[in-house]
Amino acid sequence: MSRQTRPPARRAARLLPPAAPQPRGPAPVLWLVLLAAPTAVGANVLVLTLPDIAAAFDTDVRSAAWLATTFAVAMAVGTPLIAGLLRRRGMRTALFLSTALLAAGTALLAVAPWLPLALVGRAAQGAGGAGMVTVAMGLAGTTRRMGALTAGFGALGAAGPLAGAHLSDAVSWRLALAVSALPLLAVPAVLRYARPAPTATDPFDGRGALLLAALASSLALVPVAPAPALGAGAAFLALLAHHVRRRPDGFVPRAVLRSRTFVASCALIALCSVQYFVLLFAVPRLISDRAGWSTPSIGTGQLVALVTGSALTWALTAVAHRASRTAIRLALLAVTAAALTTATLSGSAWLLLVVAGASVCTATSANAALSVHAAHSAPESLRPTAIGLFTLVYQLGGAIGPGIATVLVLG
């Protein structure tokens, strides 16, 4: 064919720049850790900075503590919502929205002159952080890579209280809260591995999303206001169950809920998550009361214990694929029961620190192994939704556990 008779489409194709090469293989796990783990730091930086924040807003510590509750509730509610967006619009859209929320929330916290405005910023940070964690878990894939992700999550979360205190003392509590924005550094690299948007054509289930968000919010507030929160939670649960029966392919798919593996995984991660967050807040007080250690000694000891427990997660999840699901579940239940029993009865500071390390190891190992079980129990098209619902259950432990510790130990 002569140059003059070459088809126009072929001539145009020759003029276009070559397509950018797509990266091969999975996203590097270190980028995924950077995308997800700083959210754990951001969740814990408030532990030792609340007095400074209360003074800045001319209020009491109890009121300032709503910044922690708001963050936990936003993470719990944002997780399934962004997972639903991921399912319908793909990882790129979910990542863009999470980036916008995280950046806007951090900017608002940097200048907020009033506590209510700071709460809005903290809620945006929590929802954006939930999206970053959901995307990272969706890209992890294997149990070993998920173990690296959750180990980093646990290790950096352990450093959160001390990091927040040092940043607050050295510069400002606002800089401590800005740590939650560190995942933004990983977005350009991770974006290259985000899968194309799916071609979902079914209408968005707004009612299902609203009912699930309301149910999660009610459960997260149980430690703060037990009677009204439980009553509202029961009502929203009944409404959601009725809605799922009417729309089985909606925001909470019945095909996911019918999987025994998914339900069992969620029940076990709920137990492991609650015990971890209860002991995270209770162990320092127990060591102080029973062994008489000073606050700096307790902080250092707990940091070492939590980092060690998180490091063990990586080793355990690397071999978890060789064990059966039953063996994994029995091991998690045994360690959880032993940790709670030891914390209740022991007066040894060293044993209590072992309990702290065991609790974070159990929670992060369970998160890594059981999230893979939960995701693979669902049809492939619903796996992002399954991961989102599973992560919601884990995040609820972060909202409920500290409240239980306050009632049983700290109060």
Side-chain angles (χ1 to χ4, degrees), residues 89-152:
R89 295 289 182 256
M91 285 190 175
R92 295 179 69 87
T93 301
L95 197 55
F96 283 137
L97 176 60
S98 301
T99 299
L101 287 170
L102 196 53
T106 303
L108 190 57
L109 281 168
V111 299
W114 311 292
L115 180 59
L117 196 59
L119 291 174
V120 175
R122 192 66 172 153
Q125 274 192 332
M132 297 297 187
V133 174
T134 301
V135 171
M137 293 181 70
L139 289 173
T142 66
T143 301
R144 177 177 296 185
R145 287 163 54 82
M146 194 73 77
L149 191 63
T150 56

Side-chain angles (χ1 to χ4, degrees), residues 35-371:
L35 189 71
T39 299
V41 184
N44 293 342
V45 293
L46 288 173
V47 173
L48 300 177
T49 59
L50 285 177
D52 294 338
I53 297 174
F57 288 125
D58 194 22
T59 186
D60 54 30
V61 172
R62 189 183 189 115
S63 298
W66 276 101
L67 287 168
T69 302
T70 300
F71 187 88
V73 172
M75 281 202 68
V77 172
T79 296
L81 294 178
I82 294 182
L85 178 69
L86 189 154
R87 175 192 168 197
R88 296 181 58 81
R89 295 289 182 256
M91 285 190 175
R92 295 179 69 87
T93 301
L95 197 55
F96 283 137
L97 176 60
S98 301
T99 299
L101 287 170
L102 196 53
T106 303
L108 190 57
L109 281 168
V111 299
W114 311 292
L115 180 59
L117 196 59
L119 291 174
V120 175
R122 192 66 172 153
Q125 274 192 332
M132 297 297 187
V133 174
T134 301
V135 171
M137 293 181 70
L139 289 173
T142 66
T143 301
R144 177 177 296 185
R145 287 163 54 82
M146 194 73 77
L149 191 63
T150 56
F153 202 85
L156 289 184
L162 287 179
H166 286 309
L167 289 174
S168 182
D169 291 341
V171 183
S172 169
W173 58 267
R174 295 183 188 271
L175 180 60
L177 294 182
V179 170
S180 296
L182 287 176
L184 298 177
L185 299 175
V187 170
V190 174
L191 194 59
R192 299 173 58 241
Y193 296 86
R195 293 191 291 269
T199 57
T201 57
D202 54 308
F204 178 69
D205 181 15
R207 180 176 297 180
L210 182 62
L211 288 173
L212 181 62
L215 174 61
S217 300
S218 300
L219 295 177
L221 295 174
V222 165
V224 179
L230 285 173
F236 287 129
L237 179 60
L239 290 172
L240 181 61
H242 177 69
H243 178 74
V244 170
R245 286 195 296 270
R246 291 184 57 191
R247 187 167 177 179
D249 58 346
F251 192 81
V252 183
R254 187 162 61 183
V256 174
L257 299 181
R258 279 184 168 178
S259 168
R260 294 183 179 179
T261 299
F262 178 81
V263 173
S265 298
C266 286
L268 187 51
I269 196 60
L271 176 62
C272 293
S273 178
V274 169
Q275 67 91 26
Y276 164 54
F277 285 103
V278 168
L279 294 175
L280 178 67
F281 283 82
V283 163
R285 179 63 175 270
L286 294 176
I287 293 176
S288 176
D289 291 346
R290 298 175 184 177
W293 280 25
S294 65
T295 300
S297 299
I298 294 172
T300 302
Q302 188 180 34
L303 175 62
V304 172
L306 294 179
V307 170
T308 302
S310 299
L312 286 174
T313 299
W314 201 341
L316 292 176
T317 53
V319 298
H321 64 282
R322 302 176 186 174
S324 66
R325 291 180 180 179
T326 301
I328 292 173
R329 292 171 183 172
L330 289 176
L332 291 172
L333 285 172
V335 176
T336 297
L340 291 174
T341 302
T342 303
T344 302
L345 301 177
S346 177
S348 167
W350 298 107
L351 276 179
L352 290 172
L353 289 176
V354 171
V355 164
S359 69
V360 68
C361 183
T362 302
T364 52
S365 298
N367 197 11
L370 297 179
S371 62

